Amino acid sequence: MRNLFGIVRAVYNFYLDETLQHGKTTMLPWLIKWGKVEPAGSVEVDARCFTPEQMAAIVNEGRKQFRSLFAVAAGTGMRAGELFALRVEDVNLNDGVVTVRRSIVEGEEGTPKNGETRHVPIDASVVAEISKHLSGRRAGLVCQSNRGRPLRLNSVLKWQLKPILKKLGIKFSTRMECTHFDTDVLAIWHIPA
């Protein structure tokens, strides 16, 4: 939306500049009501991404299953709901591939955002983290609550990620930063909405 507004603003401002320089008005008078168009104050800014160094530090500070969760997030760019729905059967450690088939948001299982299954390669370090975490387990959710239920974003943020970020001195400004566990720079949790 921000890009569309920017394009419309640029075209209109160009037209306005040309009209003022050459004195001709070819647009309908009802359209020429504004002066120069400036960006709206409430234009949403893109979510900030964690740097590779920050993601490495977050993974290193993660304990137990959350170390694996953050490693998979950093290595795959999966959305939080996709991470929470990831089952052991979806992880092929031999080939280094994670299959994204479902998403869980606030405890409700559904399809991934695009509605399609996709295969995401993972590198050897992520394979090692998952292998260590699973310890031979062959079924169930990769990461789950103490009751065996899917994790919830608010709980992961409140009890795991935010304390780690505070300890590391990394600013955390919006929830959006973690809905995709944006690791754009690792190739973050940032997938265009």
Side-chain angles (χ1 to χ4, degrees), residues 3 7 16 24 27 29 35 37 48 68 89 96 105 114 116 121 128-130 132 144-145 175 185 187 189 192:
N3 289 343
I7 291 168
L16 192 59
K24 284 186 170 182
M27 291 180 80
V37 179
R48 181 182 68 79
S68 293
E89 309 85 77
V105 179
N114 64 4
E116 297 179 15
E129 286 294 338
I130 297 171
K132 181 178 172 185
Q144 56 195 2
S145 73
R175 178 178 167 159
V185 278
W189 287 355

Short mmCIF file of all heavy atoms in Angstrom, two decimals, residues 3 7 16 24 27 29 35 37 48 68 89 96 105 114 116 121 128-130 132 144-145 175 185 187 189 192:
data_model
loop_
_atom_site.label_atom_id
_atom_site.label_comp_id
_atom_site.label_asym_id
_atom_site.label_seq_id
_atom_site.Cartn_x
_atom_site.Cartn_y
_atom_site.Cartn_z
N ASN A 3 3.85 1.60 -1.22
CA ASN A 3 4.45 1.78 -2.54
C ASN A 3 3.45 2.34 -3.53
O ASN A 3 3.77 3.20 -4.34
CB ASN A 3 5.02 0.48 -3.06
CG ASN A 3 6.27 0.07 -2.30
OD1 ASN A 3 6.88 0.89 -1.63
ND2 ASN A 3 6.62 -1.19 -2.40
N ILE A 7 3.73 5.90 -5.59
CA ILE A 7 3.66 6.02 -7.05
C ILE A 7 2.62 7.07 -7.44
O ILE A 7 2.88 7.95 -8.27
CB ILE A 7 3.35 4.66 -7.71
CG1 ILE A 7 4.55 3.73 -7.53
CG2 ILE A 7 3.00 4.83 -9.18
CD1 ILE A 7 4.25 2.28 -7.89
N LEU A 16 1.61 18.18 -11.34
CA LEU A 16 1.44 19.49 -10.75
C LEU A 16 2.62 20.40 -11.12
O LEU A 16 2.43 21.56 -11.49
CB LEU A 16 1.31 19.38 -9.23
CG LEU A 16 0.85 20.61 -8.47
CD1 LEU A 16 -0.53 21.04 -8.95
CD2 LEU A 16 0.80 20.31 -6.98
N LYS A 24 -0.62 24.91 -18.43
CA LYS A 24 -1.75 24.20 -19.00
C LYS A 24 -2.31 23.23 -17.98
O LYS A 24 -1.57 22.53 -17.30
CB LYS A 24 -1.34 23.40 -20.24
CG LYS A 24 -1.14 24.22 -21.46
CD LYS A 24 -0.88 23.29 -22.62
CE LYS A 24 -0.91 24.04 -23.92
NZ LYS A 24 -0.70 23.15 -25.05
N MET A 27 -6.05 18.09 -16.63
CA MET A 27 -6.84 17.22 -15.77
C MET A 27 -8.15 17.91 -15.42
O MET A 27 -8.25 19.12 -15.43
CB MET A 27 -6.07 16.88 -14.48
CG MET A 27 -4.88 15.99 -14.75
SD MET A 27 -3.99 15.59 -13.24
CE MET A 27 -5.01 14.30 -12.58
N PRO A 29 -10.99 19.67 -13.46
CA PRO A 29 -10.84 20.58 -12.33
C PRO A 29 -11.17 19.94 -10.97
O PRO A 29 -10.58 20.31 -9.97
CB PRO A 29 -11.85 21.70 -12.64
CG PRO A 29 -12.10 21.60 -14.10
CD PRO A 29 -11.86 20.17 -14.49
N GLY A 35 -2.84 20.62 -2.89
CA GLY A 35 -1.53 21.18 -3.20
C GLY A 35 -0.62 19.98 -3.40
O GLY A 35 -1.08 18.91 -3.80
N VAL A 37 1.16 16.64 -2.62
CA VAL A 37 0.71 15.52 -1.79
C VAL A 37 1.92 14.97 -1.03
O VAL A 37 2.92 14.60 -1.63
CB VAL A 37 0.08 14.40 -2.65
CG1 VAL A 37 -0.35 13.25 -1.78
CG2 VAL A 37 -1.10 14.96 -3.43
N ARG A 48 11.16 -4.22 10.95
CA ARG A 48 12.61 -4.30 11.02
C ARG A 48 13.02 -5.77 11.08
O ARG A 48 12.34 -6.58 11.67
CB ARG A 48 13.08 -3.57 12.29
CG ARG A 48 14.56 -3.55 12.47
CD ARG A 48 14.93 -2.86 13.76
NE ARG A 48 14.53 -3.61 14.92
CZ ARG A 48 15.20 -4.66 15.42
NH1 ARG A 48 16.28 -5.09 14.82
NH2 ARG A 48 14.78 -5.28 16.49
N SER A 68 15.98 -24.61 19.09
CA SER A 68 15.62 -25.22 17.80
C SER A 68 14.61 -24.36 17.05
O SER A 68 14.73 -24.16 15.84
CB SER A 68 15.03 -26.61 18.00
OG SER A 68 16.00 -27.48 18.48
N GLU A 89 7.17 -35.32 11.29
CA GLU A 89 7.04 -35.97 9.99
C GLU A 89 7.32 -35.00 8.83
O GLU A 89 7.56 -35.43 7.70
CB GLU A 89 5.63 -36.54 9.79
CG GLU A 89 5.11 -37.43 10.91
CD GLU A 89 4.46 -36.65 12.07
OE1 GLU A 89 3.31 -36.19 11.94
OE2 GLU A 89 5.13 -36.51 13.10
N GLY A 96 17.77 -32.66 4.46
CA GLY A 96 17.85 -31.26 4.87
C GLY A 96 16.73 -30.42 4.30
O GLY A 96 16.95 -29.35 3.73
N VAL A 105 -2.57 -20.76 14.26
CA VAL A 105 -2.67 -19.41 14.80
C VAL A 105 -3.66 -19.45 15.95
O VAL A 105 -4.80 -19.87 15.78
CB VAL A 105 -3.13 -18.41 13.72
CG1 VAL A 105 -3.26 -17.01 14.31
CG2 VAL A 105 -2.17 -18.40 12.54
N ASN A 114 -0.25 -18.83 2.00
CA ASN A 114 -0.48 -18.90 0.55
C ASN A 114 -1.36 -20.07 0.15
O ASN A 114 -1.68 -20.25 -1.00
CB ASN A 114 0.85 -18.93 -0.20
CG ASN A 114 1.65 -20.18 0.10
OD1 ASN A 114 1.21 -21.08 0.81
ND2 ASN A 114 2.85 -20.24 -0.45
N GLU A 116 -0.60 -23.17 -0.02
CA GLU A 116 0.11 -24.23 -0.73
C GLU A 116 1.23 -24.83 0.13
O GLU A 116 1.87 -24.14 0.90
CB GLU A 116 0.74 -23.68 -2.02
CG GLU A 116 -0.30 -23.19 -3.01
CD GLU A 116 0.34 -22.62 -4.27
OE1 GLU A 116 1.54 -22.87 -4.50
OE2 GLU A 116 -0.37 -21.94 -5.01
N PRO A 121 14.63 -25.79 2.06
CA PRO A 121 15.91 -26.42 2.42
C PRO A 121 16.44 -25.84 3.74
O PRO A 121 16.23 -24.66 4.02
CB PRO A 121 16.83 -26.07 1.26
CG PRO A 121 16.22 -24.87 0.61
CD PRO A 121 14.75 -24.92 0.89
N ALA A 128 21.34 -30.07 12.61
CA ALA A 128 21.94 -30.49 13.88
C ALA A 128 21.11 -30.03 15.08
O ALA A 128 20.90 -30.80 16.03
CB ALA A 128 23.36 -29.94 13.99
N GLU A 129 20.59 -28.80 15.03
CA GLU A 129 19.77 -28.29 16.14
C GLU A 129 18.48 -29.10 16.28
O GLU A 129 18.07 -29.47 17.38
CB GLU A 129 19.41 -26.81 15.92
CG GLU A 129 20.54 -25.86 16.16
CD GLU A 129 21.01 -25.80 17.60
OE1 GLU A 129 20.26 -26.17 18.52
OE2 GLU A 129 22.16 -25.39 17.81
N ILE A 130 17.82 -29.40 15.15
CA ILE A 130 16.57 -30.16 15.19
C ILE A 130 16.85 -31.58 15.67
O ILE A 130 16.11 -32.11 16.52
CB ILE A 130 15.88 -30.18 13.81
CG1 ILE A 130 15.47 -28.76 13.39
CG2 ILE A 130 14.65 -31.08 13.83
CD1 ILE A 130 14.98 -28.66 11.96
N LYS A 132 19.24 -32.72 17.57
CA LYS A 132 19.54 -32.68 19.00
C LYS A 132 18.26 -32.53 19.82
O LYS A 132 18.05 -33.21 20.81
CB LYS A 132 20.50 -31.52 19.29
CG LYS A 132 20.92 -31.40 20.73
CD LYS A 132 21.89 -30.25 20.89
CE LYS A 132 22.18 -29.98 22.35
NZ LYS A 132 23.03 -28.80 22.52
N GLN A 144 6.40 -27.82 21.23
CA GLN A 144 5.06 -27.84 21.81
C GLN A 144 5.10 -27.36 23.26
O GLN A 144 6.15 -27.29 23.88
CB GLN A 144 4.49 -29.25 21.73
CG GLN A 144 5.35 -30.30 22.39
CD GLN A 144 4.97 -31.71 22.00
OE1 GLN A 144 4.07 -31.92 21.20
NE2 GLN A 144 5.67 -32.67 22.55
N SER A 145 3.91 -27.06 23.77
CA SER A 145 3.81 -26.62 25.16
C SER A 145 4.05 -27.81 26.09
O SER A 145 4.13 -28.95 25.64
CB SER A 145 2.42 -26.02 25.43
OG SER A 145 1.45 -27.05 25.47
N ARG A 175 5.18 -6.15 17.39
CA ARG A 175 4.88 -7.57 17.30
C ARG A 175 5.21 -8.09 15.90
O ARG A 175 5.59 -9.23 15.72
CB ARG A 175 3.40 -7.78 17.62
CG ARG A 175 2.98 -9.21 17.52
CD ARG A 175 1.52 -9.34 17.89
NE ARG A 175 1.07 -10.65 17.49
CZ ARG A 175 0.03 -11.23 17.99
NH1 ARG A 175 -0.68 -10.65 18.90
NH2 ARG A 175 -0.32 -12.42 17.56
N VAL A 185 18.06 -11.32 5.77
CA VAL A 185 19.47 -11.25 5.48
C VAL A 185 20.13 -12.61 5.47
O VAL A 185 21.22 -12.76 4.97
CB VAL A 185 20.18 -10.33 6.49
CG1 VAL A 185 20.05 -8.88 6.12
CG2 VAL A 185 19.64 -10.55 7.88
N ALA A 187 18.69 -15.23 4.08
CA ALA A 187 18.25 -15.77 2.75
C ALA A 187 17.13 -16.73 2.74
O ALA A 187 17.19 -17.80 2.31
CB ALA A 187 19.35 -16.37 2.10
N TRP A 189 12.77 -13.46 9.58
CA TRP A 189 11.40 -13.79 9.65
C TRP A 189 10.66 -12.72 8.84
O TRP A 189 9.78 -12.13 9.34
CB TRP A 189 11.01 -13.82 11.08
CG TRP A 189 11.54 -15.00 11.84
CD1 TRP A 189 12.24 -16.07 11.34
CD2 TRP A 189 11.40 -15.25 13.22
NE1 TRP A 189 12.53 -16.96 12.33
CE2 TRP A 189 12.01 -16.46 13.49
CE3 TRP A 189 10.79 -14.55 14.28
CZ2 TRP A 189 12.04 -17.00 14.75
CZ3 TRP A 189 10.82 -15.08 15.50
CH2 TRP A 189 11.45 -16.30 15.75
N PRO A 192 6.92 -11.12 2.60
CA PRO A 192 5.94 -10.07 2.32
C PRO A 192 4.52 -10.55 2.57
O PRO A 192 4.17 -11.66 2.23
CB PRO A 192 6.17 -9.78 0.84
CG PRO A 192 7.55 -10.25 0.56
CD PRO A 192 7.79 -11.40 1.49
#
